[in-house]
Amino acid sequence: MTVTSVPMSQRLDDDTYQAALGRLRAYREQLERAEREADQESLDRAADLATVYADKRWVDDLPPLVKTHNRGRPVEKDSFNRFTKWVMGDPTANIGIQTRHSYQLHRAHEVANYLRPAQINPGSSEKVLRPLSRLLKDNHGDEAPDVWRRAKQLADGAPLTFDLVTRALRDHNKALGRTPPTRAQAYQARTVRDAWKRLFREFDYIAINADEDQLKAGLAEFQQRLEDLERARTQPA
C-alpha cells in the first residue's frame, strides 16, 4: 500500500492517523524480527569470519595497495580493515556483509576468546556480547569473565540480554572507580589511549627501519623529555 504524503500543517482524521501509527508499529516489529533472526548463531558466524580472515587467501582478491606507507607507517595488506572491504564488496566471495557488522562479529569473537578459558559458555549471540567489546578498547578484556558473572547474577536465571550485560558492565566500572564524572574527561581518556597506541605503532616502525645511531638518538631525546617532564612536575608552583 502506498501512503500519499500530506502537508505538515494538515491534520489527519483519527482513523487515518491510527492506521499510520499501526503500520509504523508493524514495521518496527518487522525490524526486530529481522534483527533477532540475524543474531541467531551469530557467534558461530563470527568464528567463520575469523577463520576466513586468518586464511589470508582473500588478500589476493584485493587490488594492489596504492599507498604502501601512511605517515611513515607501513600499510598492512592483510589488515582487518582491508578484509572488511573484501567481505563487503568482492564479487567472487559474494558475501556482502556490511563493514559495521564485520567489526561487530570480529569483536564478539575476541570477547568469546576471553570467556571460554574461564569455563564460560558465551552462548550464540553477538548482540549479547557486544557491550563487553568496550573492555577490549580499554585493554581490559581479561575482566570480561567478571562482568559476565555479574550479568548472570542480575539475570537471576533468566536469559542474558544486551541491556543486562550493559548494566553489569556499568556496575563493574563503577565498582572499580572507572566512571568518569564528565563526558569531557571520558573523551580525554579515550584520546590519550588512542595516542599511546599510535605512538607504539610508530615506535615499532622506527625500531625495524632506523639504523642504530638514529635509534639511539631518538631514545636519548625521549629520555630527556621524560626527565624534563619530571622536573616540571616536581618544581613548586
Side-chain angles (χ1 to χ4, degrees), residues 26-98:
Y27 181 63
R28 182 209 66 212
E29 293 171 358
Q30 177 184 341
L31 293 176
E32 291 173 349
R33 286 194 302 271
E35 184 178 5
R36 287 194 299 269
E37 182 178 350
D39 195 43
Q40 292 176 4
E41 309 300 328
S42 54
L43 200 54
D44 290 339
R45 302 295 76 76
D48 289 336
L49 191 76
T51 299
V52 174
Y53 173 56
D55 182 272
K56 302 299 183 183
R57 75 181 69 181
W58 52 270
V59 175
D60 297 332
D61 295 333
L62 290 172
L65 289 171
V66 177
K67 293 175 59 178
T68 58
H69 288 76
N70 181 20
R71 297 180 181 178
R73 188 173 65 249
V75 176
E76 298 177 358
K77 65 179 181 180
D78 59 350
S79 68
F80 191 78
N81 182 54
R82 297 193 81 222
F83 175 66
T84 63
K85 292 179 173 58
W86 177 81
V87 171
M88 175 64 188
D90 185 80
T92 303
N94 193 28
I95 300 174
I97 296 177
Q98 293 184 357

Side-chain angles (χ1 to χ4, degrees), residues 29 42 49 54 60-61 69 74 88 97 137-138 140-141 145 163 175-176 184 188 190 193 197:
E29 293 171 358
S42 54
L49 191 76
D60 297 332
D61 295 333
H69 288 76
M88 175 64 188
I97 296 177
K137 294 180 181 179
D138 297 336
H140 297 309
D163 291 338
L176 294 177
Q188 182 182 25
R190 185 169 64 253
R193 284 196 304 271
K197 290 179 181 178

Side-chain angles (χ1 to χ4, degrees), residues 12-24:
L12 303 173
D13 62 71
D14 287 345
D15 289 342
T16 304
Y17 181 72
Q18 292 300 330
L21 292 180
R23 288 190 294 270
L24 290 172

Side-chain angles (χ1 to χ4, degrees), residues 63-175:
L65 289 171
V66 177
K67 293 175 59 178
T68 58
H69 288 76
N70 181 20
R71 297 180 181 178
R73 188 173 65 249
V75 176
E76 298 177 358
K77 65 179 181 180
D78 59 350
S79 68
F80 191 78
N81 182 54
R82 297 193 81 222
F83 175 66
T84 63
K85 292 179 173 58
W86 177 81
V87 171
M88 175 64 188
D90 185 80
T92 303
N94 193 28
I95 300 174
I97 296 177
Q98 293 184 357
T99 297
R100 175 171 61 92
H101 296 313
S102 289
Y103 272 104
Q104 287 173 343
L105 292 174
H106 179 61
R107 288 190 289 265
H109 183 72
E110 291 184 321
V111 169
N113 287 339
Y114 278 101
L115 295 177
R116 292 191 180 102
Q119 306 302 312
I120 293 175
N121 180 0
S124 62
S125 168
E126 174 275 321
K127 185 177 180 180
V128 171
L129 292 179
R130 196 179 301 168
L132 299 182
S133 65
R134 300 172 196 173
L135 290 172
L136 304 185
K137 294 180 181 179
D138 297 336
N139 296 319
H140 297 309
D142 58 331
E143 297 174 11
D146 294 334
V147 179
W148 188 266
R149 295 185 189 101
R150 186 186 289 266
K152 294 286 285 186
Q153 291 177 347
L154 292 173
D156 194 23
L160 287 186
T161 64
F162 173 90
D163 291 338
L164 275 173
V165 177
T166 299
R167 178 182 166 190
L169 178 62
R170 183 172 60 247
D171 293 347
H172 173 80
N173 285 334
K174 184 176 180 180

